[in-house]
């Protein structure tokens, strides 16, 4: 995603879009239309928003801005006449850039308006320049920590901003800076540039977007986490769609440079997979959304959507530009010294959105594949941990150049809006998360899943209308109140049960019985607190009805159809390198004031 940088650290880079190399993916089938380009060569009629490409005879030295498929005298059907061995020298990089620009023009069916400089930077320089997105204020970091703790992705003893930096700083292999009108390729320290053509094509498409739409415009920087991901759905979705078509032509009849071994300039593969899968959402869902736009309305439909970007990840996930949202009703009634962060987010609030909420629940099963992760069945408590994990991998469409992931599930499909308010009180932290849902059934499904997640991390059953506590041995200790009123679900967290009622004095919640009436006796918790299958949800045991999935999570992956996996889940084979495209400069780092 894009990070909005403060002027103190990035006066020239208001926003940038970047390529992130991720070292786990599945093979993906080619998109049905990936290589098709209508009005592919000169003379044919062009649909609105499309321009036919020039022929080789029409392309001469000096030609560029007035022709499609021709840049600086290089025609899109030509090929580079050098081999990449020890990296590219400056002349070779210029030649490769000219050819790639001509080919991107041909695929996208419109001309670049000006040249795009391509430069290189070392891995260490990039990491130093982008750490924390330029937003290092203590208030922001503390506020942002609460956002990711509310999502049960970053625990109490971990710094969310450091986790975000590890995703971007160690893996980005290139980016385009709209403010500086240039592409920067990140290369390993001490090595010559060795450029993946897919990376270059992707970033050149961002340059073209900037030339036609001005990516520094505020409409391309979401003011919330969900808004940022939603905007990236069209910005990155178009880039991935063009890259899909570009790759298909390389596989079919173009001569293309080979991708560098290891997938380019990516560094460490030690990421927080919950953050990673959150920021990957626009690249798969967005590309499928753009594919549908092109199929139904051609490139003109993409241009229209760029001019009026999506407002929520739900719009992109469900490919529904008319997706209905609702106003969130919240009134700050906190007492006893609790206060929000009015200068962070939108009047102190973040909007997580459907994509982040899905990842929140899915992430609780990620330990079946990733060391140190959790092994709880939250999305579907009647299925095994491995089967819950695989829900994220079961998609209705695929891409050629990268894996696609599923972000839709009945537990989160009915999202209509949310506002997450981090609070502080001296050295104490808490939050109130107000959510809205399309129907009461949707709200109940979300509420039940959140309760399952709480009890998975806690030691006892959940008592309705009672504050629930999680012990200090958990990554998410403290007290939680969960209230549902019709289509509204409100979640409150504080270090202590009394703190929950200080944050929400009008909440219809009772303090837990100190003698254990809140479920501390564990009930059947002796076999549900280890996360071995039923997600720790002692109040909603699966009863063993689902054949042998009984919930041991370690060998239940071969009990049926496409959910097969034990500790080797399809889609995350650690040996294959994915060039997964992620816009840098923004995860949930917002404008600092």
């Amino acid at each position: 995603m894009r990070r909005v940088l403060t002027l103190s650290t990035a006066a020239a880079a208001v926003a940038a879009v970047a390529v992130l190399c991720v070292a786990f993916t599945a093979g993906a089938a080619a998109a049905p239309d990936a290589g098709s380009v209508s009005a592919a060569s000169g003379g044919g009629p062009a649909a609105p928003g499309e321009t036919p490409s020039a022929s080789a005879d029409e392309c001469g030295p000096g030609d560029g801005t007035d022709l499609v498929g021709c840049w600086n005298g290089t025609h899109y059907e030509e090929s580079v006449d050098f081999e990449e061995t020890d990296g590219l020298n400056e002349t070779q990089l210029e030649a490769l850039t000219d050819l790639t620009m001509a080919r991107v023009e041909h695929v996208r069916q419109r001309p670049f308006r000006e040249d795009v400089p391509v430069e290189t930077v070392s891995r260490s320089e990039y990491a130093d320049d982008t750490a924390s997105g330029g937003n290092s204020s203590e208030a922001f970091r503390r506020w942002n920590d609460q956002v990711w703790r509310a999502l049960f992705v970053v625990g109490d003893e971990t710094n969310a901003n450091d986790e975000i930096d590890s995703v971007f700083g160690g893996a980005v292999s290139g980016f385009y800076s709209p403010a500086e009108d240039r592409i920067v390729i990140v290369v390993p320290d001490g090595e010559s540039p060795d450029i993946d053509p897919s990376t270059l094509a992707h970033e050149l498409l961002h340059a073209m977007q900037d030339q036609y739409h001005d990516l520094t415009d505020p409409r391309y920087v979401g003011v919330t986490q969900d808004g940022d991901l939603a905007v990236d759905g069209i910005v990155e979705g178009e880039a991935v769609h063009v890259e899909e078509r570009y790759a298909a032509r390389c596989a079919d009849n173009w001569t293309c440079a080979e991708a560098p071994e290891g997938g380019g300039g990516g560094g460490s593969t030690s990421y927080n997979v919950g953050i990673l899968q959150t920021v990957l959402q626009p690249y798969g869902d967005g590309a499928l959304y753009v594919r549908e736009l092109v199929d139904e309305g051609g490139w003109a439909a993409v241009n229209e959507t760029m001019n009026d970007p999506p407002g929520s990840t739900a719009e992109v996930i469900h490919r529904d530009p008319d997706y209905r949202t609702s106003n969130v009703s919240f009134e700050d009634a906190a007492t006893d010294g609790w206060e929000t962060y009015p200068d962070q987010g939108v009047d102190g609030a973040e909007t997580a959105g459907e994509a982040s909420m899905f990842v929140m629940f899915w992430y609780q099963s990620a330990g079946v594949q990733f060391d140190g992760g959790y092994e709880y069945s939250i999305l579907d408590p009647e299925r095994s941990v491995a089967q819950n994990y695989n829900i994220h991998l079961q998609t209705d469409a695929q891409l050629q150049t990268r894996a696609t992931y599923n972000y839709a599930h009945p537990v989160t499909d009915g999202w209509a809006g949310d506002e997450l308010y981090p609070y502080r009180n001296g050295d104490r932290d808490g939050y109130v998360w107000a959510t809205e849902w399309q129907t009461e059934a949707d709200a109940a499904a979300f509420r039940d899943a959140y309760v399952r997640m709480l009890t998975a991390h806690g030691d006892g059953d959940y008592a309705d209308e009672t504050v629930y506590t999680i012990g200090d041995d958990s990554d998410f200790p403290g007290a939680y109140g969960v209230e549902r009123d019709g289509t509204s679900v409100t979640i409150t967290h504080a270090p202590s049960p009394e703190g929950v009622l200080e944050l929400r004095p009008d909440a219809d919640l009772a303090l837990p019985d100190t003698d254990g009436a809140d479920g501390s006796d564990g009930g059947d918790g002796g076999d549900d607190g280890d996360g071995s299958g039923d997600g720790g949800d002692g109040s909603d045991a699966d009863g063993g009805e689902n054949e042998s999935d009984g919930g041991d999570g370690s060998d239940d992956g071969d009990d049926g159809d496409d959910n097969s996996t034990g500790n080797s889940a399809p889609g995350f084979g650690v040996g294959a390198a994915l060039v997964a495209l992620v816009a840098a400069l923004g995860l949930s780092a917002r404008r600092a004031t």
Side-chain angles (χ1 to χ4, degrees), residues 144-158 160 163 225 272-276 278 352 355-367 372-376 378 420 430-431 433 446-447 449-459 462 468-471 473-482 491-494 535:
N144 199 34
D145 279 344
Q146 293 308 304
V147 170
W148 287 96
R149 287 168 189 166
L151 291 167
F152 275 63
V153 168
V154 177
D156 261 19
E157 299 303 316
T158 307
E163 294 290 283
Q225 178 162 308
N272 180 308
V273 71
I275 293 175
L276 179 63
T278 300
S356 297
M357 288 180 171
F358 172 88
V359 172
M360 170 178 67
F361 292 133
W362 168 82
Y363 183 63
Q364 308 312 309
S365 66
Y374 311 116
E375 297 188 24
Y376 304 132
I378 306 302
L420 199 170
Y431 55 80
W433 191 2
F446 173 77
R447 178 265 182 200
Y450 204 92
V451 166
R452 285 196 295 273
M453 185 170 64
L454 292 180
T455 56
H457 287 272
D459 296 323
Y462 182 87
Y468 185 81
T469 58
I470 297 177
D473 57 343
S474 168
D475 288 339
F476 306 97
Y480 296 82
V482 183
I491 298 159
T492 308
H493 167 66

Side-chain angles (χ1 to χ4, degrees), residues 23 47 61 88 135 258 324 329 412 483 497 524 550 573 590:
L88 301 175
N135 194 338
E258 294 292 329
R324 181 170 59 91
S329 177
T412 51
E483 309 163 77
D524 59 351
R590 305 294 162 215

Side-chain angles (χ1 to χ4, degrees), residues 179-543:
E180 297 181 343
D181 300 321
R182 64 174 182 141
I183 290 171
V184 175
I185 302 298
V186 182
V187 299
D189 291 345
E191 296 187 15
S192 300
D194 198 7
I195 297 174
D196 187 331
S198 293
T199 299
L200 185 55
H202 184 102
E203 299 308 329
L204 282 169
L205 192 281
H206 286 316
M208 179 181 283
Q209 289 173 328
D210 187 35
Q211 292 176 12
Y212 281 84
H213 301 283
D214 184 9
L215 293 182
T216 65
D217 190 288
R219 62 183 162 174
Y220 298 115
V221 180
V223 295
T224 67
Q225 178 162 308
D226 192 57
D228 233 0
L229 288 165
V231 170
D232 282 343
I234 183 63
V235 174
E236 296 300 331
E238 182 185 13
V240 174
H241 182 71
V242 166
E243 188 185 353
E244 287 276 294
R245 292 187 167 197
Y246 190 103
R249 294 301 296 264
C250 287
D252 185 16
N253 57 5
W254 283 350
T255 300
C256 299
E258 294 292 329
E261 292 184 7
S268 167
T269 59
S270 178
Y271 312 120
N272 180 308
V273 71
I275 293 175
L276 179 63
Q277 293 308 108
T278 300
V279 301
L280 287 180
Q281 184 270 332
Y283 302 89
D285 282 343
L288 297 174
Y289 186 35
V290 169
R291 179 196 294 178
E292 191 169 289
L293 289 173
V294 173
D295 287 346
E296 295 179 357
W299 289 115
V302 177
N303 296 339
E304 291 172 4
T305 307
M306 279 291 297
N307 289 331
D308 185 16
S312 69
T313 55
E315 183 177 332
V316 179
I317 290 169
H318 303 289
R319 302 169 211 162
D320 180 3
D322 299 318
Y323 189 90
R324 181 170 59 91
T325 59
S326 302
N327 291 328
V328 177
S329 177
F330 173 79
E331 182 177 348
D332 178 14
T335 62
D336 294 88
W338 287 98
E339 59 182 0
T340 62
Y341 295 76
D343 294 333
Q344 304 299 331
V346 179
D347 297 327
E350 178 64 286
T351 295
E354 183 175 346
S356 297
M357 288 180 171
F358 172 88
V359 172
M360 170 178 67
F361 292 133
W362 168 82
Y363 183 63
Q364 308 312 309
S365 66
V368 75
Q369 183 68 21
F370 295 96
D371 292 341
Y374 311 116
E375 297 188 24
Y376 304 132
S377 295
I378 306 302
L379 288 169
D380 189 340
E382 296 187 1
R383 301 175 76 184
S384 70
V385 178
Q387 290 171 325
N388 271 259
Y389 176 89
N390 285 347
I391 290 171
H392 190 36
L393 311 179
Q394 296 160 0
T395 61
D396 61 357
Q398 293 180 318
L399 298 171
Q400 177 184 7
T401 59
R402 65 195 25 79
T404 53
Y405 302 104
N406 171 48
Y407 293 84
H409 190 273
V411 165
T412 51
D413 279 351
W415 178 90
D418 74 270
E419 293 179 0
L420 199 170
Y421 289 87
Y423 278 80
R424 58 189 165 183
N425 188 345
D427 61 356
R428 294 188 293 165
D429 294 309
Y431 55 80
V432 177
W433 191 2
T435 71
E436 282 293 330
W437 301 87
Q438 304 287 354
T439 68
E440 291 191 14
D442 293 330
F446 173 77
R447 178 265 182 200
D448 292 348
Y450 204 92
V451 166
R452 285 196 295 273
M453 185 170 64
L454 292 180
T455 56
H457 287 272
D459 296 323
D461 296 343
Y462 182 87
D464 287 340
E465 300 179 355
T466 303
V467 176
Y468 185 81
T469 58
I470 297 177
D472 291 341
D473 57 343
S474 168
D475 288 339
F476 306 97
Y480 296 82
V482 183
E483 309 163 77
R484 184 178 75 84
D485 182 9
T487 58
S488 302
V489 178
T490 304
I491 298 159
T492 308
H493 167 66
S496 67
E498 292 78 12
V500 168
L501 297 186
E502 291 169 1
L503 285 167
R504 293 274 292 169
D506 297 329
D508 189 15
L509 294 169
L511 293 174
D513 189 326
T514 55
D515 294 329
D518 64 338
S520 60
D521 62 355
D524 59 351
D527 54 12
D528 73 4
D530 60 359
S532 58
D534 61 2
D537 180 17
S539 62
D540 190 16
D542 61 21

